[in-house]
Amino acid sequence: MIVGFDYGSSNCAMGVMGEQGVKLISLEAERTYLPSTLYAQHNALVVDYVAKQLQNRNATEATLYCESRANTLNSLPAIRRDLGLSQSESGLAIGSAAISEYIDFPEEGYFVKSPKSFFGAVGLKAQQIAFFEDIATAMIMQIKQRAEHQLRQALTHTVIGRPVNFQAIGGEQSNQQATDILTVAAKRAGFLEVDFLFEPLAAGIDYETSLSEDKKVLVVDIGGGTSDCSFVQMGPSYRGKSVREQDFLSHSGKRIGGNDLDIALSFHKLMPLCGLGSQLKSGLPMPNQPFWQACKINDLQLQTDFYSSSNSRALESMLRDVGEPQKLARLITVQQQKLGHQIVRQGELGKITLSQEAQFAANLSFIEQGLNQTVSVNELAESIDDSLIQICALAKQAISDANTQPDVIYLTGGSAQSPLLKAKLQQALGDIPMLNGDNFGSVTAGLTKWAEQIFR
């Protein structure tokens, strides 16, 4: 069976073609969107899960995989014994269950949000690439199994959405590394054929279905990890073609998305409670770096540095030299209890709430009882202004590269509904008609329609 698969930075979704068009598949508790998160009581349990799933399906592939992960697998009996896990317990969760496990046990286990954000990272070693393959494989295996249970059919062919660029740096080498990781993972999960499509193009293909006349469309897709623009000729004259390269006038993309807006708000408006902006007793300002590291949950190296034992010692030493030690003590709590994701979650909730309301009360009681911070719409605008400017620059670049003006701007993605973004785009691009698609479903629908076209 053929599916479109949005393995997104914020959420994952799958779609199939039904009698009434695209149907999104329920992936957890009758919801069609599953948060892109994974939690394991120990990172070796990710490898264990993949190995067991392969052994149940393909003995030859399982043997090759187990040989490549022999050192990790040899350590599992002791790890399971220490954790008190039986052989029937995976110790692994994805989606909302992973978030719940992390909130309940932040100091224990391994938690990753938006793993796709790391796949194109520059300078990854072979061991790190292998581990990201394992994370993606474990997630795709579970998602595929849930979808097959719903559909009562095996999924064999898929088109997976991808950003124009996985990283701001690294170029095509980063893009190839990321698509290789996803291809390996999808095939280990049991897909026989795997193809990719730019996410903004997928959203555009979904929008094209509704057009009664040809238009030049600038698709602006604000995803969780990236912002991408595709300038496409669409309409009845183009619809149904399986080769569309000549219709794609330009692309632009950058690794800046909804997660970065959450991080920016968290850093600028929540980190001052943990000492950002404070002074040392010498009168010099506190360095910004540890506060940025705490919030930058989509940067593997910065997170590793923040949670390192050497940083723990540095923060404890700094405690004696700051003018407001009670604030820095909160940052030490964040570091020791691994609370960075929870802080950025409050930033995300603030971004969502402030798209409709004037104020948001961030609840930081997980750091210190009774700790909270009120954030206004104006403060959100100040915090994310630089990110919005970069997104507008991508849209202007796509228009410039296409060397023509769009008839319409089609906005999609989780952060595309932000009034601040729309106002900034209008200021940068002028009075081009602008409309919102299904902020979460357009990409999945387009991937599903494209998959049907190329695999049928």
Side-chain angles (χ1 to χ4, degrees), residues 2 71 98 166 197 214 222 234 273 302 326 350 363 367 398:
I2 297 168
N71 290 339
F166 283 85
L197 183 67
D214 293 346
I222 314 300
M234 296 181 179
L273 293 175
L302 291 184
Q326 75 279 8
N363 181 359
I367 300 175

Side-chain angles (χ1 to χ4, degrees), residues 159-209:
V159 172
I160 301 175
R162 55 153 290 186
V164 174
N165 289 305
F166 283 85
Q167 291 281 334
I169 57 175
E172 198 49 41
Q173 185 175 353
S174 286
N175 292 334
Q176 189 63 54
Q177 174 181 286
T179 54
D180 285 348
I181 288 172
L182 284 167
T183 300
V184 168
K187 292 199 169 182
R188 278 188 183 145
F191 283 107
L192 303 179
E193 294 291 338
V194 180
D195 207 342
F196 293 90
L197 183 67
F198 288 148
E199 288 155 356
L201 289 181
I205 286 169
D206 182 50
Y207 170 59
E208 185 177 46
T209 307

Side-chain angles (χ1 to χ4, degrees), residues 38 46 49-50 92 94 133-143 185:
L38 177 144
V46 179
Y49 178 84
V50 173
L92 182 147
I94 66 170
E133 288 175 355
D134 295 335
I135 290 172
T137 302
M139 291 184 70
I140 295 174
M141 280 176 165
Q142 284 209 23
I143 292 168

Side-chain angles (χ1 to χ4, degrees), residues 2 14 32 36 99 109 146 234 272 282 311 327 387 417 421:
I2 297 168
M14 275 188 173
T32 54
S36 300
I99 296 172
R146 295 181 188 192
M234 296 181 179
S282 65
N311 188 46
K327 289 186 176 180
S387 298
Q417 58 191 309
L421 172 65

Side-chain angles (χ1 to χ4, degrees), residues 170-300:
E172 198 49 41
Q173 185 175 353
S174 286
N175 292 334
Q176 189 63 54
Q177 174 181 286
T179 54
D180 285 348
I181 288 172
L182 284 167
T183 300
V184 168
K187 292 199 169 182
R188 278 188 183 145
F191 283 107
L192 303 179
E193 294 291 338
V194 180
D195 207 342
F196 293 90
L197 183 67
F198 288 148
E199 288 155 356
L201 289 181
I205 286 169
D206 182 50
Y207 170 59
E208 185 177 46
T209 307
S210 66
L211 290 178
S212 58
E213 60 180 352
D214 293 346
K215 289 184 180 293
K216 291 176 289 186
V217 182
L218 176 63
V219 182
V220 180
D221 177 21
I222 314 300
T226 57
S227 291
D228 296 293
C229 300
S230 285
F231 202 142
V232 196
Q233 296 184 109
M234 296 181 179
S237 300
Y238 307 98
R239 194 162 49 228
K241 294 164 61 178
S242 58
V243 179
R244 296 293 299 268
E245 280 80 0
Q246 68 273 23
D247 307 332
F248 306 151
L249 303 181
S250 66
H251 302 289
S252 63
K254 191 172 185 180
R255 191 190 166 193
I256 181 168
N259 293 342
D260 297 277
L261 305 184
D262 308 337
I263 289 166
L265 181 60
S266 302
F267 174 75
H268 289 292
K269 300 305 172 185
L270 303 184
M271 280 291 102
L273 293 175
C274 295
L276 176 65
S278 297
Q279 289 187 333
L280 300 171
K281 289 179 180 177
S282 65
L284 294 173
M286 281 276 291
N288 289 346
Q289 183 71 356
F291 304 99
W292 184 241
Q293 290 172 336
C295 293
K296 194 65 170 161
I297 61 171
N298 58 0
D299 188 304
L300 180 64

